[in-house]
PDB file of all heavy atoms in Angstrom:
ATOM      1  N   PRO A  76      20.586 -15.463  -3.268  1.00 85.00           N
ATOM      2  CA  PRO A  76      19.479 -15.439  -4.205  1.00 85.00           C
ATOM      3  C   PRO A  76      18.498 -14.363  -3.987  1.00 85.00           C
ATOM      4  O   PRO A  76      17.925 -13.709  -4.869  1.00 85.00           O
ATOM      5  CB  PRO A  76      18.848 -16.843  -4.119  1.00 85.00           C
ATOM      6  CG  PRO A  76      19.904 -17.669  -3.562  1.00 85.00           C
ATOM      7  CD  PRO A  76      20.746 -16.769  -2.676  1.00 85.00           C
ATOM      8  N   ARG A  77      18.240 -14.069  -2.676  1.00 84.00           N
ATOM      9  CA  ARG A  77      17.337 -12.988  -2.270  1.00 84.00           C
ATOM     10  C   ARG A  77      17.929 -11.610  -2.721  1.00 84.00           C
ATOM     11  O   ARG A  77      17.183 -10.813  -3.274  1.00 84.00           O
ATOM     12  CB  ARG A  77      17.057 -13.008  -0.858  1.00 84.00           C
ATOM     13  CG  ARG A  77      16.189 -11.876  -0.327  1.00 84.00           C
ATOM     14  CD  ARG A  77      15.812 -12.053   1.155  1.00 84.00           C
ATOM     15  NE  ARG A  77      15.261 -10.917   1.787  1.00 84.00           N
ATOM     16  CZ  ARG A  77      14.006 -10.446   1.526  1.00 84.00           C
ATOM     17  NH1 ARG A  77      13.224 -11.167   0.779  1.00 84.00           N
ATOM     18  NH2 ARG A  77      13.574  -9.390   2.164  1.00 84.00           N
ATOM     19  N   ARG A  78      19.187 -11.353  -2.452  1.00 90.00           N
ATOM     20  CA  ARG A  78      19.776 -10.151  -2.874  1.00 90.00           C
ATOM     21  C   ARG A  78      19.803  -9.930  -4.405  1.00 90.00           C
ATOM     22  O   ARG A  78      19.430  -8.841  -4.961  1.00 90.00           O
ATOM     23  CB  ARG A  78      21.241  -9.994  -2.437  1.00 90.00           C
ATOM     24  CG  ARG A  78      21.406  -9.671  -0.964  1.00 90.00           C
ATOM     25  CD  ARG A  78      22.916  -9.270  -0.654  1.00 90.00           C
ATOM     26  NE  ARG A  78      23.846 -10.240  -1.124  1.00 90.00           N
ATOM     27  CZ  ARG A  78      24.243 -11.233  -0.260  1.00 90.00           C
ATOM     28  NH1 ARG A  78      23.686 -11.419   0.970  1.00 90.00           N
ATOM     29  NH2 ARG A  78      25.097 -12.177  -0.615  1.00 90.00           N
ATOM     30  N   ILE A  79      20.003 -11.011  -5.095  1.00 91.00           N
ATOM     31  CA  ILE A  79      19.926 -10.970  -6.639  1.00 91.00           C
ATOM     32  C   ILE A  79      18.522 -10.648  -7.014  1.00 91.00           C
ATOM     33  O   ILE A  79      18.349  -9.778  -7.934  1.00 91.00           O
ATOM     34  CB  ILE A  79      20.452 -12.297  -7.212  1.00 91.00           C
ATOM     35  CG1 ILE A  79      21.910 -12.492  -6.961  1.00 91.00           C
ATOM     36  CG2 ILE A  79      20.099 -12.325  -8.752  1.00 91.00           C
ATOM     37  CD1 ILE A  79      22.469 -13.877  -7.268  1.00 91.00           C
ATOM     38  N   ARG A  80      17.518 -11.304  -6.479  1.00 86.00           N
ATOM     39  CA  ARG A  80      16.107 -11.137  -6.922  1.00 86.00           C
ATOM     40  C   ARG A  80      15.791  -9.626  -6.519  1.00 86.00           C
ATOM     41  O   ARG A  80      15.118  -8.919  -7.359  1.00 86.00           O
ATOM     42  CB  ARG A  80      15.151 -11.994  -6.191  1.00 86.00           C
ATOM     43  CG  ARG A  80      13.633 -11.763  -6.554  1.00 86.00           C
ATOM     44  CD  ARG A  80      12.799 -12.796  -5.919  1.00 86.00           C
ATOM     45  NE  ARG A  80      12.928 -12.759  -4.460  1.00 86.00           N
ATOM     46  CZ  ARG A  80      12.258 -11.865  -3.702  1.00 86.00           C
ATOM     47  NH1 ARG A  80      11.543 -10.885  -4.244  1.00 86.00           N
ATOM     48  NH2 ARG A  80      12.314 -11.894  -2.359  1.00 86.00           N
ATOM     49  N   LEU A  81      16.070  -9.172  -5.411  1.00 91.00           N
ATOM     50  CA  LEU A  81      15.810  -7.790  -5.010  1.00 91.00           C
ATOM     51  C   LEU A  81      16.476  -6.777  -5.898  1.00 91.00           C
ATOM     52  O   LEU A  81      15.840  -5.709  -6.246  1.00 91.00           O
ATOM     53  CB  LEU A  81      16.092  -7.539  -3.534  1.00 91.00           C
ATOM     54  CG  LEU A  81      15.195  -8.424  -2.576  1.00 91.00           C
ATOM     55  CD1 LEU A  81      15.638  -8.108  -1.122  1.00 91.00           C
ATOM     56  CD2 LEU A  81      13.704  -8.009  -2.772  1.00 91.00           C
ATOM     57  N   ALA A  82      17.719  -7.047  -6.297  1.00 95.00           N
ATOM     58  CA  ALA A  82      18.436  -6.155  -7.192  1.00 95.00           C
ATOM     59  C   ALA A  82      17.790  -6.059  -8.556  1.00 95.00           C
ATOM     60  O   ALA A  82      17.637  -4.995  -9.142  1.00 95.00           O
ATOM     61  CB  ALA A  82      19.875  -6.612  -7.352  1.00 95.00           C
ATOM     62  N   ARG A  83      17.298  -7.234  -9.004  1.00 94.00           N
ATOM     63  CA  ARG A  83      16.583  -7.242 -10.302  1.00 94.00           C
ATOM     64  C   ARG A  83      15.285  -6.442 -10.208  1.00 94.00           C
ATOM     65  O   ARG A  83      14.964  -5.743 -11.194  1.00 94.00           O
ATOM     66  CB  ARG A  83      16.324  -8.655 -10.747  1.00 94.00           C
ATOM     67  CG  ARG A  83      17.574  -9.381 -11.155  1.00 94.00           C
ATOM     68  CD  ARG A  83      17.261 -10.871 -11.572  1.00 94.00           C
ATOM     69  NE  ARG A  83      18.473 -11.502 -12.012  1.00 94.00           N
ATOM     70  CZ  ARG A  83      18.582 -12.769 -12.039  1.00 94.00           C
ATOM     71  NH1 ARG A  83      17.616 -13.601 -11.663  1.00 94.00           N
ATOM     72  NH2 ARG A  83      19.783 -13.277 -12.445  1.00 94.00           N
ATOM     73  N   VAL A  84      14.591  -6.619  -9.157  1.00 94.00           N
ATOM     74  CA  VAL A  84      13.281  -5.859  -8.940  1.00 94.00           C
ATOM     75  C   VAL A  84      13.607  -4.394  -8.995  1.00 94.00           C
ATOM     76  O   VAL A  84      12.865  -3.627  -9.608  1.00 94.00           O
ATOM     77  CB  VAL A  84      12.576  -6.346  -7.673  1.00 94.00           C
ATOM     78  CG1 VAL A  84      11.451  -5.404  -7.378  1.00 94.00           C
ATOM     79  CG2 VAL A  84      12.013  -7.770  -7.856  1.00 94.00           C
ATOM     80  N   LYS A  85      14.613  -4.067  -8.211  1.00 96.00           N
ATOM     81  CA  LYS A  85      14.962  -2.571  -8.202  1.00 96.00           C
ATOM     82  C   LYS A  85      15.333  -2.089  -9.567  1.00 96.00           C
ATOM     83  O   LYS A  85      14.924  -0.962 -10.008  1.00 96.00           O
ATOM     84  CB  LYS A  85      16.066  -2.353  -7.212  1.00 96.00           C
ATOM     85  CG  LYS A  85      16.510  -0.802  -7.086  1.00 96.00           C
ATOM     86  CD  LYS A  85      17.667  -0.673  -6.176  1.00 96.00           C
ATOM     87  CE  LYS A  85      18.023   0.820  -5.956  1.00 96.00           C
ATOM     88  NZ  LYS A  85      17.815   1.679  -7.034  1.00 96.00           N
ATOM     89  N   PHE A  86      16.083  -2.765 -10.280  1.00 97.00           N
ATOM     90  CA  PHE A  86      16.484  -2.341 -11.664  1.00 97.00           C
ATOM     91  C   PHE A  86      15.265  -2.181 -12.505  1.00 97.00           C
ATOM     92  O   PHE A  86      15.092  -1.261 -13.236  1.00 97.00           O
ATOM     93  CB  PHE A  86      17.458  -3.439 -12.308  1.00 97.00           C
ATOM     94  CG  PHE A  86      17.646  -3.241 -13.739  1.00 97.00           C
ATOM     95  CD1 PHE A  86      18.580  -2.275 -14.153  1.00 97.00           C
ATOM     96  CD2 PHE A  86      16.962  -3.869 -14.725  1.00 97.00           C
ATOM     97  CE1 PHE A  86      18.822  -1.973 -15.500  1.00 97.00           C
ATOM     98  CE2 PHE A  86      17.146  -3.642 -16.105  1.00 97.00           C
ATOM     99  CZ  PHE A  86      18.122  -2.694 -16.413  1.00 97.00           C
ATOM    100  N   GLN A  87      14.294  -3.160 -12.487  1.00 96.00           N
ATOM    101  CA  GLN A  87      13.168  -3.100 -13.354  1.00 96.00           C
ATOM    102  C   GLN A  87      12.264  -1.920 -12.862  1.00 96.00           C
ATOM    103  O   GLN A  87      11.769  -1.135 -13.756  1.00 96.00           O
ATOM    104  CB  GLN A  87      12.364  -4.395 -13.117  1.00 96.00           C
ATOM    105  CG  GLN A  87      12.979  -5.548 -13.787  1.00 96.00           C
ATOM    106  CD  GLN A  87      12.477  -6.892 -13.300  1.00 96.00           C
ATOM    107  OE1 GLN A  87      11.526  -6.993 -12.549  1.00 96.00           O
ATOM    108  NE2 GLN A  87      13.051  -7.996 -13.844  1.00 96.00           N
ATOM    109  N   ARG A  88      12.055  -1.714 -11.598  1.00 97.00           N
ATOM    110  CA  ARG A  88      11.240  -0.636 -11.073  1.00 97.00           C
ATOM    111  C   ARG A  88      11.876   0.736 -11.459  1.00 97.00           C
ATOM    112  O   ARG A  88      11.187   1.633 -11.958  1.00 97.00           O
ATOM    113  CB  ARG A  88      11.117  -0.740  -9.574  1.00 97.00           C
ATOM    114  CG  ARG A  88      10.166   0.231  -8.932  1.00 97.00           C
ATOM    115  CD  ARG A  88      10.074   0.086  -7.464  1.00 97.00           C
ATOM    116  NE  ARG A  88       9.811  -1.252  -6.944  1.00 97.00           N
ATOM    117  CZ  ARG A  88       8.668  -1.739  -6.688  1.00 97.00           C
ATOM    118  NH1 ARG A  88       7.528  -1.050  -6.910  1.00 97.00           N
ATOM    119  NH2 ARG A  88       8.522  -2.926  -6.287  1.00 97.00           N
ATOM    120  N   ASP A  89      13.186   0.808 -11.357  1.00 98.00           N
ATOM    121  CA  ASP A  89      13.865   2.025 -11.724  1.00 98.00           C
ATOM    122  C   ASP A  89      13.756   2.317 -13.264  1.00 98.00           C
ATOM    123  O   ASP A  89      13.601   3.501 -13.686  1.00 98.00           O
ATOM    124  CB  ASP A  89      15.441   2.040 -11.313  1.00 98.00           C
ATOM    125  CG  ASP A  89      15.566   2.032  -9.795  1.00 98.00           C
ATOM    126  OD1 ASP A  89      14.564   2.366  -9.066  1.00 98.00           O
ATOM    127  OD2 ASP A  89      16.718   1.792  -9.325  1.00 98.00           O
ATOM    128  N   LEU A  90      13.875   1.255 -14.082  1.00 98.00           N
ATOM    129  CA  LEU A  90      13.797   1.398 -15.515  1.00 98.00           C
ATOM    130  C   LEU A  90      12.396   1.908 -15.897  1.00 98.00           C
ATOM    131  O   LEU A  90      12.293   2.854 -16.672  1.00 98.00           O
ATOM    132  CB  LEU A  90      14.095   0.050 -16.184  1.00 98.00           C
ATOM    133  CG  LEU A  90      13.974   0.078 -17.664  1.00 98.00           C
ATOM    134  CD1 LEU A  90      14.949   1.039 -18.356  1.00 98.00           C
ATOM    135  CD2 LEU A  90      14.140  -1.358 -18.263  1.00 98.00           C
ATOM    136  N   VAL A  91      11.396   1.336 -15.289  1.00 97.00           N
ATOM    137  CA  VAL A  91      10.001   1.833 -15.627  1.00 97.00           C
ATOM    138  C   VAL A  91       9.855   3.330 -15.166  1.00 97.00           C
ATOM    139  O   VAL A  91       9.288   4.093 -15.875  1.00 97.00           O
ATOM    140  CB  VAL A  91       8.994   0.924 -14.854  1.00 97.00           C
ATOM    141  CG1 VAL A  91       7.544   1.526 -15.016  1.00 97.00           C
ATOM    142  CG2 VAL A  91       9.003  -0.482 -15.564  1.00 97.00           C
ATOM    143  N   ALA A  92      10.372   3.662 -14.045  1.00 97.00           N
ATOM    144  CA  ALA A  92      10.285   5.042 -13.558  1.00 97.00           C
ATOM    145  C   ALA A  92      10.979   5.991 -14.469  1.00 97.00           C
ATOM    146  O   ALA A  92      10.505   7.051 -14.780  1.00 97.00           O
ATOM    147  CB  ALA A  92      10.858   5.154 -12.083  1.00 97.00           C
ATOM    148  N   ARG A  93      12.162   5.587 -14.941  1.00 98.00           N
ATOM    149  CA  ARG A  93      12.880   6.495 -15.936  1.00 98.00           C
ATOM    150  C   ARG A  93      12.117   6.626 -17.223  1.00 98.00           C
ATOM    151  O   ARG A  93      12.016   7.705 -17.765  1.00 98.00           O
ATOM    152  CB  ARG A  93      14.252   5.878 -16.257  1.00 98.00           C
ATOM    153  CG  ARG A  93      15.340   6.118 -15.129  1.00 98.00           C
ATOM    154  CD  ARG A  93      16.707   5.816 -15.620  1.00 98.00           C
ATOM    155  NE  ARG A  93      16.918   4.591 -16.303  1.00 98.00           N
ATOM    156  CZ  ARG A  93      17.231   3.403 -15.616  1.00 98.00           C
ATOM    157  NH1 ARG A  93      17.370   3.470 -14.236  1.00 98.00           N
ATOM    158  NH2 ARG A  93      17.381   2.276 -16.260  1.00 98.00           N
ATOM    159  N   ARG A  94      11.568   5.504 -17.736  1.00 98.00           N
ATOM    160  CA  ARG A  94      10.712   5.664 -18.931  1.00 98.00           C
ATOM    161  C   ARG A  94       9.549   6.503 -18.740  1.00 98.00           C
ATOM    162  O   ARG A  94       9.173   7.239 -19.648  1.00 98.00           O
ATOM    163  CB  ARG A  94      10.366   4.226 -19.446  1.00 98.00           C
ATOM    164  CG  ARG A  94      11.460   3.265 -19.819  1.00 98.00           C
ATOM    165  CD  ARG A  94      12.285   3.796 -20.896  1.00 98.00           C
ATOM    166  NE  ARG A  94      11.464   4.211 -22.057  1.00 98.00           N
ATOM    167  CZ  ARG A  94      11.865   5.218 -22.800  1.00 98.00           C
ATOM    168  NH1 ARG A  94      12.989   5.759 -22.811  1.00 98.00           N
ATOM    169  NH2 ARG A  94      11.045   5.517 -23.907  1.00 98.00           N
ATOM    170  N   ARG A  95       8.880   6.443 -17.605  1.00 96.00           N
ATOM    171  CA  ARG A  95       7.693   7.262 -17.362  1.00 96.00           C
ATOM    172  C   ARG A  95       8.099   8.727 -17.264  1.00 96.00           C
ATOM    173  O   ARG A  95       7.347   9.560 -17.739  1.00 96.00           O
ATOM    174  CB  ARG A  95       6.977   6.793 -16.097  1.00 96.00           C
ATOM    175  CG  ARG A  95       6.301   5.431 -16.333  1.00 96.00           C
ATOM    176  CD  ARG A  95       5.449   4.925 -15.217  1.00 96.00           C
ATOM    177  NE  ARG A  95       4.295   5.698 -14.979  1.00 96.00           N
ATOM    178  CZ  ARG A  95       3.167   5.697 -15.689  1.00 96.00           C
ATOM    179  NH1 ARG A  95       3.118   4.864 -16.682  1.00 96.00           N
ATOM    180  NH2 ARG A  95       2.156   6.468 -15.381  1.00 96.00           N
ATOM    181  N   ARG A  96       9.239   8.991 -16.683  1.00 97.00           N
ATOM    182  CA  ARG A  96       9.799  10.434 -16.526  1.00 97.00           C
ATOM    183  C   ARG A  96       9.986  11.017 -17.948  1.00 97.00           C
ATOM    184  O   ARG A  96       9.835  12.288 -18.065  1.00 97.00           O
ATOM    185  CB  ARG A  96      10.983  10.460 -15.648  1.00 97.00           C
ATOM    186  CG  ARG A  96      10.771  10.452 -14.216  1.00 97.00           C
ATOM    187  CD  ARG A  96      11.962  10.945 -13.400  1.00 97.00           C
ATOM    188  NE  ARG A  96      13.086  10.044 -13.615  1.00 97.00           N
ATOM    189  CZ  ARG A  96      13.348   8.957 -12.972  1.00 97.00           C
ATOM    190  NH1 ARG A  96      12.542   8.546 -12.004  1.00 97.00           N
ATOM    191  NH2 ARG A  96      14.475   8.312 -13.203  1.00 97.00           N
ATOM    192  N   VAL A  97      10.384  10.238 -18.859  1.00 98.00           N
ATOM    193  CA  VAL A  97      10.650  10.810 -20.259  1.00 98.00           C
ATOM    194  C   VAL A  97       9.405  10.719 -21.145  1.00 98.00           C
ATOM    195  O   VAL A  97       9.486  11.005 -22.311  1.00 98.00           O
ATOM    196  CB  VAL A  97      11.833  10.124 -20.937  1.00 98.00           C
ATOM    197  CG1 VAL A  97      13.109  10.294 -20.114  1.00 98.00           C
ATOM    198  CG2 VAL A  97      11.615   8.645 -21.204  1.00 98.00           C
ATOM    199  N   GLY A  98       8.297  10.385 -20.560  1.00 97.00           N
ATOM    200  CA  GLY A  98       6.992  10.427 -21.270  1.00 97.00           C
ATOM    201  C   GLY A  98       6.327   9.143 -21.682  1.00 97.00           C
ATOM    202  O   GLY A  98       5.320   9.214 -22.252  1.00 97.00           O
ATOM    203  N   ASP A  99       6.880   7.972 -21.387  1.00 96.00           N
ATOM    204  CA  ASP A  99       6.308   6.755 -21.722  1.00 96.00           C
ATOM    205  C   ASP A  99       5.220   6.445 -20.662  1.00 96.00           C
ATOM    206  O   ASP A  99       5.482   5.910 -19.621  1.00 96.00           O
ATOM    207  CB  ASP A  99       7.293   5.644 -21.736  1.00 96.00           C
ATOM    208  CG  ASP A  99       6.671   4.322 -22.307  1.00 96.00           C
ATOM    209  OD1 ASP A  99       5.459   4.217 -22.453  1.00 96.00           O
ATOM    210  OD2 ASP A  99       7.544   3.432 -22.654  1.00 96.00           O
ATOM    211  N   LYS A 100       3.986   6.802 -21.066  1.00 90.00           N
ATOM    212  CA  LYS A 100       2.877   6.561 -20.048  1.00 90.00           C
ATOM    213  C   LYS A 100       2.225   5.230 -20.212  1.00 90.00           C
ATOM    214  O   LYS A 100       1.314   4.809 -19.504  1.00 90.00           O
ATOM    215  CB  LYS A 100       1.749   7.642 -20.321  1.00 90.00           C
ATOM    216  CG  LYS A 100       2.288   9.081 -20.186  1.00 90.00           C
ATOM    217  CD  LYS A 100       2.781   9.254 -18.752  1.00 90.00           C
ATOM    218  CE  LYS A 100       3.267  10.730 -18.607  1.00 90.00           C
ATOM    219  NZ  LYS A 100       4.165  10.880 -17.409  1.00 90.00           N
ATOM    220  N   HIS A 101       2.732   4.392 -21.078  1.00 91.00           N
ATOM    221  CA  HIS A 101       2.136   3.059 -21.333  1.00 91.00           C
ATOM    222  C   HIS A 101       3.026   1.937 -20.843  1.00 91.00           C
ATOM    223  O   HIS A 101       2.863   0.813 -21.262  1.00 91.00           O
ATOM    224  CB  HIS A 101       1.912   2.852 -22.922  1.00 91.00           C
ATOM    225  CG  HIS A 101       0.914   3.909 -23.356  1.00 91.00           C
ATOM    226  ND1 HIS A 101      -0.398   3.954 -23.061  1.00 91.00           N
ATOM    227  CD2 HIS A 101       1.191   5.062 -24.153  1.00 91.00           C
ATOM    228  CE1 HIS A 101      -0.960   4.958 -23.669  1.00 91.00           C
ATOM    229  NE2 HIS A 101      -0.044   5.613 -24.383  1.00 91.00           N
ATOM    230  N   ILE A 102       3.996   2.294 -19.936  1.00 94.00           N
ATOM    231  CA  ILE A 102       4.790   1.166 -19.391  1.00 94.00           C
ATOM    232  C   ILE A 102       4.418   1.174 -17.874  1.00 94.00           C
ATOM    233  O   ILE A 102       4.200   2.214 -17.209  1.00 94.00           O
ATOM    234  CB  ILE A 102       6.270   1.529 -19.611  1.00 94.00           C
ATOM    235  CG1 ILE A 102       7.070   0.293 -19.156  1.00 94.00           C
ATOM    236  CG2 ILE A 102       6.685   2.748 -18.904  1.00 94.00           C
ATOM    237  CD1 ILE A 102       8.552   0.312 -19.558  1.00 94.00           C
ATOM    238  N   HIS A 103       4.335  -0.035 -17.346  1.00 94.00           N
ATOM    239  CA  HIS A 103       3.928  -0.269 -15.923  1.00 94.00           C
ATOM    240  C   HIS A 103       4.825  -1.300 -15.314  1.00 94.00           C
ATOM    241  O   HIS A 103       5.366  -2.167 -16.051  1.00 94.00           O
ATOM    242  CB  HIS A 103       2.471  -0.676 -15.884  1.00 94.00           C
ATOM    243  CG  HIS A 103       1.549   0.168 -16.581  1.00 94.00           C
ATOM    244  ND1 HIS A 103       0.946   1.287 -15.975  1.00 94.00           N
ATOM    245  CD2 HIS A 103       1.060   0.245 -17.893  1.00 94.00           C
ATOM    246  CE1 HIS A 103       0.209   1.907 -16.853  1.00 94.00           C
ATOM    247  NE2 HIS A 103       0.313   1.318 -18.046  1.00 94.00           N
ATOM    248  N   PHE A 104       4.974  -1.262 -14.059  1.00 94.00           N
ATOM    249  CA  PHE A 104       5.772  -2.267 -13.342  1.00 94.00           C
ATOM    250  C   PHE A 104       4.773  -3.072 -12.348  1.00 94.00           C
ATOM    251  O   PHE A 104       3.974  -2.404 -11.681  1.00 94.00           O
ATOM    252  CB  PHE A 104       6.843  -1.555 -12.490  1.00 94.00           C
ATOM    253  CG  PHE A 104       7.579  -2.541 -11.629  1.00 94.00           C
ATOM    254  CD1 PHE A 104       8.613  -3.248 -12.200  1.00 94.00           C
ATOM    255  CD2 PHE A 104       7.252  -2.792 -10.285  1.00 94.00           C
ATOM    256  CE1 PHE A 104       9.228  -4.275 -11.392  1.00 94.00           C
ATOM    257  CE2 PHE A 104       7.932  -3.678  -9.530  1.00 94.00           C
ATOM    258  CZ  PHE A 104       8.883  -4.430 -10.125  1.00 94.00           C
TER     259      PHE A 104
END
Side-chain angles (χ1 to χ4, degrees):
R77 178 175 167 73
R78 277 195 306 272
I79 292 168
R80 181 178 57 79
L81 293 176
R83 287 178 180 161
V84 168
K85 181 181 181 330
F86 171 81
Q87 294 164 358
R88 191 181 304 270
D89 291 348
L90 177 62
V91 169
R93 282 195 309 272
R94 295 300 312 151
R95 290 185 68 78
R96 279 194 300 274
V97 297
D99 188 347
K100 300 300 180 198
H101 300 290
I102 189 167
H103 305 273
F104 176 80

